[in-house]
PDB file of all heavy atoms in Angstrom:
ATOM      1  N   LEU A1349      32.316  -0.835 -31.226  1.00 98.00           N
ATOM      2  CA  LEU A1349      31.084  -0.329 -30.637  1.00 98.00           C
ATOM      3  C   LEU A1349      30.056  -1.446 -30.471  1.00 98.00           C
ATOM      4  O   LEU A1349      29.361  -1.531 -29.457  1.00 98.00           O
ATOM      5  CB  LEU A1349      30.509   0.785 -31.513  1.00 98.00           C
ATOM      6  CG  LEU A1349      29.217   1.396 -31.014  1.00 98.00           C
ATOM      7  CD1 LEU A1349      29.409   2.023 -29.651  1.00 98.00           C
ATOM      8  CD2 LEU A1349      28.698   2.431 -32.009  1.00 98.00           C
ATOM      9  N   ASP A1350      29.984  -2.302 -31.465  1.00 98.00           N
ATOM     10  CA  ASP A1350      29.045  -3.422 -31.417  1.00 98.00           C
ATOM     11  C   ASP A1350      29.314  -4.285 -30.189  1.00 98.00           C
ATOM     12  O   ASP A1350      28.427  -4.554 -29.372  1.00 98.00           O
ATOM     13  CB  ASP A1350      29.195  -4.248 -32.700  1.00 98.00           C
ATOM     14  CG  ASP A1350      28.128  -5.314 -32.831  1.00 98.00           C
ATOM     15  OD1 ASP A1350      27.063  -5.172 -32.182  1.00 98.00           O
ATOM     16  OD2 ASP A1350      28.342  -6.281 -33.572  1.00 98.00           O
ATOM     17  N   MET A1351      30.567  -4.688 -30.048  1.00 97.00           N
ATOM     18  CA  MET A1351      30.876  -5.591 -28.945  1.00 97.00           C
ATOM     19  C   MET A1351      30.773  -4.889 -27.596  1.00 97.00           C
ATOM     20  O   MET A1351      30.333  -5.485 -26.608  1.00 97.00           O
ATOM     21  CB  MET A1351      32.265  -6.183 -29.153  1.00 97.00           C
ATOM     22  CG  MET A1351      32.356  -6.987 -30.429  1.00 97.00           C
ATOM     23  SD  MET A1351      33.792  -8.058 -30.469  1.00 97.00           S
ATOM     24  CE  MET A1351      33.483  -9.083 -29.031  1.00 97.00           C
ATOM     25  N   LEU A1352      31.182  -3.633 -27.569  1.00 98.00           N
ATOM     26  CA  LEU A1352      31.129  -2.903 -26.304  1.00 98.00           C
ATOM     27  C   LEU A1352      29.690  -2.695 -25.845  1.00 98.00           C
ATOM     28  O   LEU A1352      29.352  -2.937 -24.680  1.00 98.00           O
ATOM     29  CB  LEU A1352      31.828  -1.550 -26.484  1.00 98.00           C
ATOM     30  CG  LEU A1352      31.825  -0.644 -25.261  1.00 98.00           C
ATOM     31  CD1 LEU A1352      32.494  -1.332 -24.075  1.00 98.00           C
ATOM     32  CD2 LEU A1352      32.521   0.675 -25.568  1.00 98.00           C
ATOM     33  N   SER A1353      28.833  -2.272 -26.746  1.00 98.00           N
ATOM     34  CA  SER A1353      27.449  -1.991 -26.341  1.00 98.00           C
ATOM     35  C   SER A1353      26.768  -3.271 -25.889  1.00 98.00           C
ATOM     36  O   SER A1353      25.979  -3.271 -24.945  1.00 98.00           O
ATOM     37  CB  SER A1353      26.678  -1.343 -27.490  1.00 98.00           C
ATOM     38  OG  SER A1353      26.665  -2.183 -28.625  1.00 98.00           O
ATOM     39  N   LEU A1354      27.103  -4.361 -26.542  1.00 97.00           N
ATOM     40  CA  LEU A1354      26.526  -5.637 -26.145  1.00 97.00           C
ATOM     41  C   LEU A1354      27.026  -6.052 -24.763  1.00 97.00           C
ATOM     42  O   LEU A1354      26.243  -6.484 -23.909  1.00 97.00           O
ATOM     43  CB  LEU A1354      26.885  -6.701 -27.189  1.00 97.00           C
ATOM     44  CG  LEU A1354      26.118  -8.002 -27.113  1.00 97.00           C
ATOM     45  CD1 LEU A1354      24.630  -7.747 -27.174  1.00 97.00           C
ATOM     46  CD2 LEU A1354      26.550  -8.925 -28.247  1.00 97.00           C
ATOM     47  N   GLY A1355      28.318  -5.902 -24.558  1.00 97.00           N
ATOM     48  CA  GLY A1355      28.895  -6.254 -23.271  1.00 97.00           C
ATOM     49  C   GLY A1355      28.314  -5.433 -22.132  1.00 97.00           C
ATOM     50  O   GLY A1355      28.012  -5.944 -21.059  1.00 97.00           O
ATOM     51  N   LEU A1356      28.146  -4.151 -22.379  1.00 97.00           N
ATOM     52  CA  LEU A1356      27.582  -3.274 -21.354  1.00 97.00           C
ATOM     53  C   LEU A1356      26.174  -3.715 -20.999  1.00 97.00           C
ATOM     54  O   LEU A1356      25.799  -3.810 -19.827  1.00 97.00           O
ATOM     55  CB  LEU A1356      27.575  -1.828 -21.834  1.00 97.00           C
ATOM     56  CG  LEU A1356      28.930  -1.132 -21.877  1.00 97.00           C
ATOM     57  CD1 LEU A1356      28.796   0.260 -22.485  1.00 97.00           C
ATOM     58  CD2 LEU A1356      29.516  -1.038 -20.486  1.00 97.00           C
ATOM     59  N   LEU A1357      25.393  -3.980 -22.023  1.00 96.00           N
ATOM     60  CA  LEU A1357      24.003  -4.377 -21.802  1.00 96.00           C
ATOM     61  C   LEU A1357      23.945  -5.651 -20.971  1.00 96.00           C
ATOM     62  O   LEU A1357      23.146  -5.771 -20.044  1.00 96.00           O
ATOM     63  CB  LEU A1357      23.323  -4.577 -23.153  1.00 96.00           C
ATOM     64  CG  LEU A1357      21.805  -4.540 -23.122  1.00 96.00           C
ATOM     65  CD1 LEU A1357      21.323  -3.219 -22.565  1.00 96.00           C
ATOM     66  CD2 LEU A1357      21.251  -4.767 -24.511  1.00 96.00           C
ATOM     67  N   ARG A1358      24.812  -6.590 -21.298  1.00 95.00           N
ATOM     68  CA  ARG A1358      24.831  -7.860 -20.567  1.00 95.00           C
ATOM     69  C   ARG A1358      25.189  -7.656 -19.107  1.00 95.00           C
ATOM     70  O   ARG A1358      24.780  -8.407 -18.238  1.00 95.00           O
ATOM     71  CB  ARG A1358      25.858  -8.819 -21.208  1.00 95.00           C
ATOM     72  CG  ARG A1358      25.440  -9.271 -22.596  1.00 95.00           C
ATOM     73  CD  ARG A1358      25.724 -10.753 -22.793  1.00 95.00           C
ATOM     74  NE  ARG A1358      25.115 -11.217 -24.032  1.00 95.00           N
ATOM     75  CZ  ARG A1358      25.769 -11.448 -25.160  1.00 95.00           C
ATOM     76  NH1 ARG A1358      27.077 -11.262 -25.213  1.00 95.00           N
ATOM     77  NH2 ARG A1358      25.135 -11.877 -26.233  1.00 95.00           N
ATOM     78  N   ARG A1359      25.986  -6.633 -18.829  1.00 95.00           N
ATOM     79  CA  ARG A1359      26.372  -6.338 -17.451  1.00 95.00           C
ATOM     80  C   ARG A1359      25.351  -5.475 -16.743  1.00 95.00           C
ATOM     81  O   ARG A1359      25.584  -4.998 -15.631  1.00 95.00           O
ATOM     82  CB  ARG A1359      27.708  -5.612 -17.431  1.00 95.00           C
ATOM     83  CG  ARG A1359      28.892  -6.473 -17.792  1.00 95.00           C
ATOM     84  CD  ARG A1359      30.086  -5.578 -18.080  1.00 95.00           C
ATOM     85  NE  ARG A1359      30.302  -4.616 -17.022  1.00 95.00           N
ATOM     86  CZ  ARG A1359      31.185  -4.766 -16.039  1.00 95.00           C
ATOM     87  NH1 ARG A1359      31.931  -5.835 -16.012  1.00 95.00           N
ATOM     88  NH2 ARG A1359      31.311  -3.855 -15.100  1.00 95.00           N
ATOM     89  N   GLY A1360      24.242  -5.185 -17.413  1.00 95.00           N
ATOM     90  CA  GLY A1360      23.223  -4.356 -16.772  1.00 95.00           C
ATOM     91  C   GLY A1360      23.532  -2.880 -16.801  1.00 95.00           C
ATOM     92  O   GLY A1360      22.997  -2.102 -16.023  1.00 95.00           O
TER      93      GLY A1360
END
Side-chain angles (χ1 to χ4, degrees):
Chain A
L1349 180 61
D1350 188 21
M1351 299 196 60
L1352 178 58
S1353 59
L1354 193 55
L1356 287 175
L1357 199 58
R1358 292 222 170 103
R1359 289 166 51 98

